[in-house]
C-alpha cells in the first residue's frame, strides 16, 4: 500500500539557517508528489509539486524539493528560513489509480523558528 | 478570484447526531474533495465529487456522504456521529485534470461530545 513517511515530528531552526524537511514515500510507479504548508487554524497551501521532468522543483516562498527515485525521497529545502515559515509541513503523494483529488498525506513536520 | 470557503468554522455536536458541513469551491473549479484531519495527523481523503457524482472514496463508512451542486458547491454529511469524528474537515477544490493542484479551505472544526 502507498504511504508517506515524514520522520521528523518537530524541527527547530534558527532564523536565517537552512532547512531540510524529509519525506519518504512508498509507491509502485512514478509518483505525483506534493508539499503543503498549514499555519495554525488555516487550510493547506500548496508549496510545490512534482509530476515528471526535472527532479529539482521550485516552489513558492523560496522553497524547493528534490525527487530522488533511488531513495524514494522528496525532501523540502530552503536556504534561509524566515520567522514566518513557522508552520506545519505536509508531504503528500497522489494515490495510485485513485481519483485526482485523492492524496495520501504524511503526518506532518512542525517547524519552529528561533529568533 | 474567490478562494475556497467553508462553513461553519466551528461546530459542537453530540454523539449520535447528524451534521452538515458546507463548502464553496474556488471560482472555475469543478471538482471538490473532502478530507478529515484528526489532531496531530495528516489529512485523510474522504471522497471526491465531479459533475455532481462521487468519483473516488477513501476508507470511510457510508455514514459519511456528500453532495455536489450544479454551481460546484458541496456538502459533507455525517450521520450517527461518534466521538472519533471530532476533527478538522477540509474541503479542496480543483479542476478535473490529473495535475490540477488542490486548493484548500480553512476547514470546519467539528467537536463531538
Amino acid at each position: 500500500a502507498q504511504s508517506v513517511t515524514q520522520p521528523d515530528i518537530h524541527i527547530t531552526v534558527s532564523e536565517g539557517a537552512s532547512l531540510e524537511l524529509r519525506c519518504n514515500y512508498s509507491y509502485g510507479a512514478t509518483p505525483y508528489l506534493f508539499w503543503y504548508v498549514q499555519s495554525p487554524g488555516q487550510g493547506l497551501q500548496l508549496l510545490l509539486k512534482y509530476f515528471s521532468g526535472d527532479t529539482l522543483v521550485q516552489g513558492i516562498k523560496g522553497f524547493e524539493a528534490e525527487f530522488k527515485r533511488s531513495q524514494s525521497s522528496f525532501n523540502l529545502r530552503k536556504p534561509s528560513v524566515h520567522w514566518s515559515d513557522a508552520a506545519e509541513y505536509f508531504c503528500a503523494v497522489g494515490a495510485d489509480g485513485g481519483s485526482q483529488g485523492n492524496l495520501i498525506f504524511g503526518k506532518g513536520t512542525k517547524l519552529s523558528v528561533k529568533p | 478570484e474567490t478562494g475556497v470557503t467553508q462553513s461553519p468554522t466551528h461546530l459542537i455536536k453530540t454523539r449520535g447526531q447528524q451534521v452538515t458541513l458546507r463548502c464553496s469551491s474556488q471560482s472555475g473549479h469543478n471538482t471538490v474533495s473532502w478530507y478529515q484531519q484528526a489532531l496531530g495527523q495528516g489529512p485523510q481523503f474522504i471522497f471526491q465529487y465531479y459533475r455532481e457524482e462521487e468519483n473516488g472514496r477513501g476508507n470511510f463508512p457510508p455514514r459519511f456522504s456528500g453532495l455536489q451542486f450544479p454551481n460546484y458547491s458541496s456538502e459533507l454529511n455525517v450521520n450517527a456521529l461518534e466521538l472519533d469524528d471530532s476533527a478538522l474537515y477540509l474541503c479542496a477544490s480543483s479542476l478535473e485534470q490529473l495535475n490540477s493542484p488542490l486548493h484548500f479551505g480553512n476547514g470546519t472544526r467539528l467537536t463531538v461530545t
Side-chain angles (χ1 to χ4, degrees):
Chain A
Q2 292 165 269
S3 64
V4 174
T5 302
Q6 294 180 247
D8 305 305
I9 298 173
H10 190 186
I11 283 182
T12 300
V13 300
S14 297
E15 190 167 16
S18 63
L19 171 70
E20 182 170 29
L21 301 182
R22 296 183 290 164
C23 172
N24 293 98
Y25 64 89
S26 171
Y27 192 86
T30 300
Y32 299 133
L33 293 161
F34 307 82
W35 274 99
Y36 283 85
V37 61
Q38 186 177 36
S39 298
Q42 303 291 310
L44 283 77
Q45 181 183 22
L46 179 68
L47 287 175
L48 46 80
K49 62 184 187 289
Y50 171 79
F51 290 130
S52 63
D54 193 346
T55 56
L56 186 62
V57 180
Q58 301 298 320
I60 63 171
K61 303 184 179 185
F63 285 93
E64 67 177 26
E66 186 171 12
F67 170 60
K68 292 186 177 180
R69 184 188 300 276
S70 62
Q71 298 176 19
S72 297
S73 69
F74 188 57
N75 294 348
L76 182 71
R77 301 193 295 246
K78 186 170 184 177
S80 178
V81 169
H82 187 262
W83 64 266
S84 61
D85 294 324
E88 188 140 26
Y89 291 80
F90 292 94
C91 180
V93 63
D96 185 15
S99 55
Q100 172 269 346
N102 185 351
L103 300 183
I104 297 170
F105 284 85
K107 293 187 175 181
T109 296
K110 183 177 180 179
L111 173 66
S112 297
V113 181
K114 291 189 300 185
Chain B
E1 173 178 274
T2 306
V4 177
T5 58
Q6 293 186 242
S7 63
T9 54
H10 294 83
L11 199 53
I12 299 175
K13 288 285 190 178
T14 303
R15 188 172 50 185
Q17 286 187 316
Q18 177 267 344
V19 69
T20 297
L21 310 182
R22 294 179 173 82
C23 173
S24 180
S25 296
Q26 182 165 314
S27 177
H29 286 179
N30 55 11
T31 301
V32 65
S33 304
W34 284 91
Y35 283 80
Q36 180 194 66
Q37 186 178 17
L39 202 60
Q41 302 294 314
Q44 277 195 293
F45 176 71
I46 303 175
F47 44 54
Q48 177 177 282
Y49 277 79
Y50 171 60
R51 291 186 175 179
E52 301 175 50
E53 290 195 2
E54 184 182 298
N55 76 334
R57 190 177 184 92
N59 188 26
F60 280 82
R63 60 189 185 84
F64 285 78
S65 63
L67 285 172
Q68 184 185 31
F69 300 100
N71 66 354
Y72 304 130
S73 65
S74 174
E75 287 181 356
L76 164 66
N77 299 289
V78 187
N79 294 322
L81 283 167
E82 301 176 359
L83 297 179
D84 285 349
D85 295 333
S86 296
L88 180 68
Y89 288 85
L90 295 164
C91 167
S93 73
S94 64
L95 300 173
E96 74 274 19
Q97 286 83 5
L98 194 59
N99 62 356
S100 175
L102 302 182
H103 294 255
F104 284 84
N106 287 339
T108 294
R109 172 72 63 186
L110 173 65
T111 302
V112 182
T113 62

